[in-house]
Amino acid sequence: MSLTKYIIKRIVYSIGVLFGVSILIFVISNIVPGDPARMALGPRAPEWAVEDLRKEMNLDKPLVERYFLWLSDLMRGDLGESLRSRRPITKDIAEYLPASIEIIALSAFFMAVIGINLGRLSARFSGTWFDGVVRILSYTGIVTPAFVWAILFVLLFSYLIPIFPTTGRITPGLAAPPRITGMYIIDGLLTGNFRVALNAFWHIVLPSLALSMGGAAQAARMTRASMVDNAEKDYILAVRAYGVPNKLIYRRLLLKPSLVAPISIMALDIAALLGNAFLVELVFLYPGISRYGVEAMLNKDLFAIISVVLIIGIGYTIANVVIDVIIAHLDPRVRLGGAKSA
Amino acid sequence: MKNEEALAVQNLRVNYKIYRGILKVLDGINLTVKRGEKIGLVGETGCGKTTTLKAIMGILAGNAILSSGRVTVNGKVVLQRSAHHMVRKSAKRVAMIFQDPTASLNPVFTIGEQMELVVRYAANRSSSAREAAVNALRLAQLPDAERIHTNFPFQLSGGMRQRVCIAMALAAEPNIILADEPTTNLDVTIQDQVLKLLKRLCDEQELALVLVTHSLGVARETCDRIYVMYAGTIVEYASSQNIFENPYHPYTRGLLAALPRLTGEGIAEGIEGRIPDYLNPPQGCRFAPRCEHATEKCFSTKPGFYEAEDGHFVSCFLYETERGVASDVSHSSDTES
């Protein structure tokens, strides 16, 4: 009961946070210099046309009024029109966001599996050559930008050893599955197009792996550090003295209390991918939300910028709620609110 | 049966390797505990009491070096210095109670989960682990054992946590319990209850107890015999009564004089000086630099044990003439390898 209550509480808080975020985004993107209407129409458009567009976009009204106009549109599910594609932004997002979610979900999976397991093993074999190798790998992972990994992986696994495709979401010539969620893998599975689902999955392996490297490296370091720290605690010494096998200690008894820090960091890393995946999406010519966002910014496509930033904000909020739930699950002190029953 | 040795520690020397050099902490510890006997290990903070217990349990830190010695539990060698490295086996039938009950319980598992592991691996019982755990909780006088079994450590008070630790020790079905200052972190009123419980359980189940404490009073109340430790060495051992009535070693005398009294005679005197630096411990008697009776010999030679009275041994040259070197202490026999 208390866990559900806890989650609901977190979600209610999050809505409040998002409301604040929306004000901040709106104000900042509106006071950034440059005239969106002029940018949209180009330097040679006549002044009256620019003036008309400004009116159409409500740019002639005061900021506060504009915010509320935008907010009421938002409530109706209308994010405005992109000045560049001349399409409703909701349509653009419906196209790009699912593609991004697929990549981010897979790289979250990679991050957790690679990061936690490497950390766990190097804690268990700390001081050995294995620990040293993982240490070097982790530092490399942390300091190397994701797009460098992306290029490296393409060179290694697409050209040198051609296992994975280089670009796109799906092999050209293969029809995209009927649209249900917009995520090719899920849609493929739902409609029984397993070949398409597998093909789409094959396309996101390399980009996801490239994106996950930094977070995985960091998670490995943190998992190792907190496990090595906790290994000296009396409760671990005690079970060790009682003959509980090392395997069980490192997989469960020591791992569980050591996961809070790495998981908190990982969730934020994952949320950051929504916005930071730009260069990786570029390397793989992958139509994700991050590329869309960067292009919108370069063109001062006002409402598109606001929408993308808002989505990133929502992403962070969701990540935070998820972290809180996972941590509550791991740590009874959070879950049960420290209430004493005795 | 009663006179068999449950635990024997012979000439135990443990060093710790640290950045600045080698800390020579334990300098030849000898102690024996018979079945069902309760002994106290008394000394100042930092004198190596906990290191001794950890060596017995086989849970010395990674930077610890066993330079000589042997630990025998129920007749089996569990720790020994062999030709090049230490051989360490996990000691069955030995349980340990730690100083801080909060740190000795895993915060993210229920009491039941943790106890069942102990039942399974220490007592080698895979069936009815749950009943055994609940039973042990009842033995430790915890009310509502069934509920506590499902609780997490943070849901219990400090005193209850220490009882849980005692229950966990019992769940290992030991015949020796090592207790490392089990009451230091508890309220004064609860300290007494926990000690009494521990003592009663040991009496009822004929468990041997090694009680580490810095409080002479606690040791006297609980233990049959007391070993007084100073800076990694045993300086004196005898029955609890004898230690109090006739302390021989200058350190023991100082320790007893340092006890605050309730009669209001003012603050008791302490012993001048501090525990020596383990990086560079005194060559001879480790207490010599603080001892008012120290002679040149004390600084250059380690004293052996001299039997001052029946069963009362002192490691001090002041008593050299009394009755000669004690028979059960032999400083060379363990270093053969």
Side-chain angles (χ1 to χ4, degrees), chain A residues 230 232-245 248-249 251-258 260 327 329-342, chain B residues 54 57 59 61-62 90-92 94-100 102-109 113-114 117-118 121-122 147 151-152 154-157 160-161 168-169 172:
Chain A
N230 284 337
E232 293 296 315
K233 294 258 168 81
D234 286 348
Y235 59 81
I236 295 299
L237 292 181
V239 288
R240 198 173 280 165
Y242 288 135
V244 176
L248 183 62
I249 293 177
R251 283 210 181 144
R252 210 168 120 71
L253 300 174
L254 182 53
L255 184 62
K256 201 176 168 191
S258 309
V260 171
I327 288 174
H329 180 77
L330 284 174
D331 192 338
R333 284 165 294 189
V334 177
R335 176 167 74 237
L336 304 175
K340 290 215 170 152
S341 65
Chain B
K54 285 189 171 171
M57 285 304 277
I59 50 173
S90 91
K92 291 284 171 193
V94 186
M96 182 157 173
I97 297 164
F98 291 88
Q99 184 172 352
D100 180 0
T102 310
S104 53
L105 294 170
N106 197 324
V108 300
F109 291 97
E113 286 174 294
Q114 300 184 50
L117 275 177
V118 174
Y121 289 100
R147 200 201 70 227
N151 274 160
F152 287 96
F154 75 96
Q155 292 170 305
L156 306 175
S157 67
M160 286 172 92
R161 267 178 234 166
M168 205 176 278

Side-chain angles (χ1 to χ4, degrees), chain A residues 159-210:
Chain A
Y159 288 107
L160 217 57
I161 318 165
I163 322 171
F164 291 103
T166 46
T167 53
R169 291 184 75 182
I170 200 161
T171 305
L174 210 60
R179 187 187 167 87
I180 300 169
T181 59
M183 288 177 260
Y184 285 2
I185 299 173
I186 309 262
D187 290 350
L189 289 176
L190 287 177
T191 55
N193 279 323
F194 296 116
R195 227 166 67 93
V196 175
L198 190 69
N199 187 281
F201 175 75
W202 217 234
H203 274 81
I204 63 167
V205 169
L206 287 189
S208 305
L209 202 58

Side-chain angles (χ1 to χ4, degrees), chain A residues 255-275:
Chain A
L255 184 62
K256 201 176 168 191
S258 309
L259 276 182
V260 171
I263 282 182
S264 314
I265 292 295
M266 235 187 307
L268 292 178
D269 279 344
I270 290 163
L273 293 183
L274 263 179

Side-chain angles (χ1 to χ4, degrees), chain B:
Chain B
M1 187 71 186
K2 187 94 190 177
N3 276 331
E4 269 179 66
E5 271 180 8
L7 170 72
V9 175
Q10 289 163 296
N11 199 27
L12 186 70
R13 282 168 214 271
V14 174
N15 301 335
Y16 287 102
K17 213 167 131 183
I18 60 163
Y19 179 69
R20 288 186 300 144
I22 288 174
L23 296 174
K24 301 179 189 76
V25 177
L26 294 190
D27 187 28
I29 298 289
N30 287 285
L31 53 91
T32 51
V33 186
K34 296 192 182 72
R35 296 224 159 147
E37 189 185 30
K38 294 184 283 294
I39 69 146
L41 203 53
V42 182
E44 291 169 74
T45 309
C47 72
K49 294 167 296 189
T50 303
T51 298
T52 309
L53 290 199
K54 285 189 171 171
I56 297 170
M57 285 304 277
I59 50 173
L60 285 170
N63 62 341
I65 305 158
L66 181 72
S67 69
S68 80
R70 174 191 290 173
V71 175
T72 318
V73 170
N74 300 319
K76 277 188 203 132
V77 176
V78 294
L79 184 75
Q80 188 171 29
R81 167 84 201 178
S82 81
H84 297 292
H85 55 283
M86 68 173 128
V87 177
R88 192 193 271 172
K89 288 175 197 153
S90 91
K92 291 284 171 193
R93 311 209 63 201
V94 186
M96 182 157 173
I97 297 164
F98 291 88
Q99 184 172 352
D100 180 0
T102 310
S104 53
L105 294 170
N106 197 324
V108 300
F109 291 97
T110 62
I111 306 292
E113 286 174 294
Q114 300 184 50
M115 290 191 67
E116 282 167 29
L117 275 177
V118 174
V119 172
R120 196 155 288 147
Y121 289 100
N124 280 328
R125 283 221 248 153
S126 43
S127 60
S128 68
R130 198 194 126 84
E131 288 92 287
V134 173
N135 225 0
L137 288 169
R138 283 211 187 94
L139 276 176
Q141 289 187 330
L142 281 155
D144 206 355
E146 293 278 346
R147 200 201 70 227
I148 287 175
H149 188 266
T150 62
N151 274 160
F152 287 96
F154 75 96
Q155 292 170 305
L156 306 175
S157 67
M160 286 172 92
R161 267 178 234 166
Q162 196 57 298
R163 279 168 202 267
V164 167
C165 292
I166 293 173
M168 205 176 278
L170 293 176
E173 300 184 5
N175 66 359
I176 308 166
I177 287 185
L178 313 176
D180 187 3
E181 311 209 19
T183 55
T184 314
N185 279 339
L186 301 177
D187 288 347
V188 185
T189 46
I190 296 166
Q191 283 182 6
D192 195 47
Q193 292 175 16
V194 168
L195 272 179
K196 278 191 179 134
L197 170 71
L198 200 56
K199 190 177 178 192
R200 213 201 58 212
L201 286 168
C202 288
D203 285 340
E204 280 173 8
Q205 309 200 4
E206 290 208 2
L207 306 178
L209 173 72
V210 179
L211 179 70
V212 161
T213 172
H214 56 244
S215 156
L216 281 161
V218 164
R220 183 188 200 176
E221 242 181 81
T222 321
C223 302
D224 307 323
R225 285 195 300 140
I226 290 177
Y227 284 79
V228 180
M229 257 184 106
Y230 177 76
T233 55
I234 303 266
V235 294
E236 180 166 9
Y237 61 97
S239 69
S240 304
Q241 203 184 350
N242 263 349
I243 288 270
F244 272 83
E245 284 173 2
N246 264 326
Y248 285 96
H249 198 283
Y251 175 68
T252 317
R253 289 185 176 173
L255 206 59
L256 284 168
L259 283 181
R261 285 167 224 281
L262 290 173
T263 44
E265 290 163 31
I267 292 172
E269 348 168 4
I271 307 171
E272 286 290 312
R274 296 190 295 125
I275 273 199
D277 179 10
Y278 287 120
L279 274 175
N280 234 331
Q283 251 202 342
C285 173
R286 285 195 166 180
F287 186 60
R290 292 170 80 178
C291 181
E292 46 188 314
H293 308 287
T295 60
E296 261 175 53
K297 193 180 179 189
C298 298
F299 284 96
S300 57
T301 323
K302 285 187 201 306
F305 273 95
Y306 309 102
E307 193 166 12
E309 281 175 48
D310 276 336
H312 191 143
F313 294 90
V314 192
S315 172
C316 178
F317 287 123
L318 287 177
Y319 307 95
E320 198 175 7
T321 48
E322 301 271 328
R323 285 215 226 157
V325 179
S327 54
D328 71 327
V329 179
S330 39
H331 276 285
S332 52
S333 64
D334 297 296
T335 38
E336 80 274 358
S337 68

Side-chain angles (χ1 to χ4, degrees), chain A:
Chain A
M1 158 227 118
S2 52
L3 189 58
T4 336
K5 217 165 148 187
Y6 180 76
I7 297 171
I8 292 170
K9 208 168 89 183
R10 294 293 317 167
I11 291 174
V12 171
Y13 282 153
S14 309
I15 291 170
V17 169
L18 279 178
F19 190 70
V21 166
S22 76
I23 297 178
L24 206 64
I25 298 166
F26 193 86
V27 171
I28 290 175
S29 35
N30 272 285
I31 57 178
V32 170
D35 182 349
R38 173 55 80 187
M39 291 280 281
L41 296 176
R44 260 174 253 161
E47 190 56 38
W48 57 264
V50 177
E51 205 53 52
D52 278 356
L53 187 60
R54 263 200 212 112
K55 270 204 182 98
E56 192 191 318
M57 291 169 69
N58 295 324
L59 285 176
D60 53 342
K61 300 204 171 73
L63 193 60
V64 179
E65 196 186 331
R66 261 149 64 196
Y67 174 72
F68 283 105
L69 284 169
W70 172 76
L71 195 64
S72 67
D73 281 347
L74 179 69
M75 292 302 164
R76 278 183 274 112
D78 178 8
L79 289 169
E81 195 177 76
S82 163
L83 295 175
R84 214 156 48 85
S85 67
R86 287 281 168 189
R87 293 202 301 174
I89 291 164
T90 41
K91 266 220 170 101
D92 284 347
I93 285 173
E95 191 179 324
Y96 296 118
L97 188 59
S100 276
I101 289 176
E102 276 184 323
I103 279 200
I104 288 166
L106 189 62
S107 54
F109 174 78
F110 283 146
M111 236 185 242
V113 171
I114 297 173
I116 291 172
N117 280 307
L118 280 186
R120 173 173 70 84
L121 290 171
S122 58
R124 181 163 170 196
F125 301 108
S126 69
T128 64
W129 63 269
F130 180 83
D131 187 25
V133 170
V134 173
R135 185 191 311 260
I136 293 167
L137 279 182
S138 307
Y139 290 143
T140 320
I142 291 169
V143 298
T144 312
F147 76 91
V148 176
W149 288 118
I151 294 170
L152 200 70
F153 289 156
V154 168
L155 286 175
L156 283 177
F157 301 113
S158 299
Y159 288 107
L160 217 57
I161 318 165
I163 322 171
F164 291 103
T166 46
T167 53
R169 291 184 75 182
I170 200 161
T171 305
L174 210 60
R179 187 187 167 87
I180 300 169
T181 59
M183 288 177 260
Y184 285 2
I185 299 173
I186 309 262
D187 290 350
L189 289 176
L190 287 177
T191 55
N193 279 323
F194 296 116
R195 227 166 67 93
V196 175
L198 190 69
N199 187 281
F201 175 75
W202 217 234
H203 274 81
I204 63 167
V205 169
L206 287 189
S208 305
L209 202 58
L211 280 175
S212 70
M213 294 301 279
Q218 209 163 2
R221 293 308 302 158
M222 296 204 72
T223 309
R224 180 194 180 275
S226 67
M227 281 180 85
V228 166
D229 218 31
N230 284 337
E232 293 296 315
K233 294 258 168 81
D234 286 348
Y235 59 81
I236 295 299
L237 292 181
V239 288
R240 198 173 280 165
Y242 288 135
V244 176
N246 245 341
K247 216 176 185 178
L248 183 62
I249 293 177
Y250 278 92
R251 283 210 181 144
R252 210 168 120 71
L253 300 174
L254 182 53
L255 184 62
K256 201 176 168 191
S258 309
L259 276 182
V260 171
I263 282 182
S264 314
I265 292 295
M266 235 187 307
L268 292 178
D269 279 344
I270 290 163
L273 293 183
L274 263 179
N276 297 346
F278 167 61
L279 287 168
V280 173
E281 288 177 1
L282 205 64
V283 170
F284 289 94
L285 296 179
Y286 193 85
I289 193 82
S290 185
R291 245 175 93 194
Y292 177 76
V294 172
E295 276 159 20
M297 276 170 215
L298 293 176
N299 289 296
K300 199 148 171 48
D301 189 348
L302 190 65
F303 291 115
I305 299 173
I306 297 174
S307 308
V308 171
V309 178
L310 191 65
I311 283 172
I312 294 172
I314 293 172
Y316 265 98
T317 314
I318 292 174
N320 269 308
V321 173
V322 172
I323 303 172
D324 286 338
V325 171
I326 292 177
I327 288 174
H329 180 77
L330 284 174
D331 192 338
R333 284 165 294 189
V334 177
R335 176 167 74 237
L336 304 175
K340 290 215 170 152
S341 65

